[in-house]
Amino acid sequence: MSDIVIDQPIPDFTCQTAENTPWQLSEQRGHHVVLYFFPRANTPGCTTESEAFRDLDPRFGALNTIVVGISRDKPKTLANFRDKYGFPFTLLSDPEETVCNLFGVMRDKNMYGKKVRGIERSTFLIDSAGVLRQEWRKVSVDGHAEAVLEAVANLGG
């Protein structure tokens, strides 16, 4: 269950960055925000997805768009992940799952026959006024960052 609805404002939230400083959604007004949730730093799918956003980051920037990744990893883990792969964008830590629950991305999963609770790979496009314009759930990594870039381009300034 999610508290967010397409074409409605996203409630403000604050998370810690990889630098362990606060990041607040409302402070990003004036820029579109691509908020992508990933299950865990340094895993193959999450690395590939993050690298795709990294490689397209200049094109997102040219469209007045900030890319932000978020997971339940601790800030230090995220900082190491960012530094290892050269991600130019902000990574947020949500160990208490506050933002994950706001966006409804926590799911029961099967991992090697064992039930675990984790983040369902999802991305949300928030416009420069703080309104949710598009969401992608159960994301498949291949071609995803490109699809998000296309959606941003269709938003306009």
Side-chain angles (χ1 to χ4, degrees):
M1 187 72 166
S2 169
D3 292 337
I4 61 162
V5 178
I6 290 182
D7 294 331
Q8 294 296 313
I10 297 291
D12 197 20
F13 65 85
T14 302
C15 268
Q16 293 302 109
T17 66
E19 294 79 27
N20 214 13
T21 58
W23 184 96
Q24 191 168 1
L25 179 62
S26 61
E27 292 178 358
Q28 313 314 311
R29 294 278 157 78
H31 299 279
H32 304 311
V33 176
V34 170
L35 183 64
Y36 78 98
F37 288 82
F38 61 96
R40 193 161 171 209
N42 291 302
T43 57
C46 297
T47 300
T48 300
E49 179 182 27
S50 297
E51 287 174 326
F53 279 116
R54 175 199 64 201
D55 295 348
L56 293 174
D57 192 66
R59 293 176 64 190
F60 279 107
L63 295 170
N64 190 36
T65 303
I66 300 165
V67 174
V68 180
I70 183 168
S71 76
R72 298 181 305 167
D73 294 303
K74 293 186 178 351
K76 182 162 181 47
T77 301
L78 292 173
N80 291 339
F81 183 48
R82 178 204 57 217
D83 294 347
K84 181 176 181 180
Y85 294 99
F87 302 136
F89 45 79
T90 300
L91 296 177
L92 300 177
S93 174
D94 187 27
E96 303 298 319
E97 302 173 5
T98 307
V99 181
C100 291
N101 289 326
L102 172 67
F103 283 84
V105 300
M106 295 304 298
R107 297 284 183 264
D108 290 328
K109 302 176 174 183
N110 255 328
M111 191 166 290
Y112 308 111
K114 183 178 168 187
K115 266 206 169 201
V116 296
R117 189 150 171 80
I119 292 176
E120 175 182 76
R121 193 180 310 281
S122 306
T123 301
F124 301 87
L125 174 55
I126 303 164
D127 73 12
S128 60
V131 174
L132 179 65
R133 292 301 175 193
Q134 197 162 341
E135 65 181 22
W136 294 261
R137 294 184 183 269
K138 297 182 183 174
V139 165
S140 175
V141 172
D142 290 340
H144 175 62
E146 292 83 358
V148 175
L149 181 65
E150 184 178 331
V152 170
N154 290 335
L155 270 184

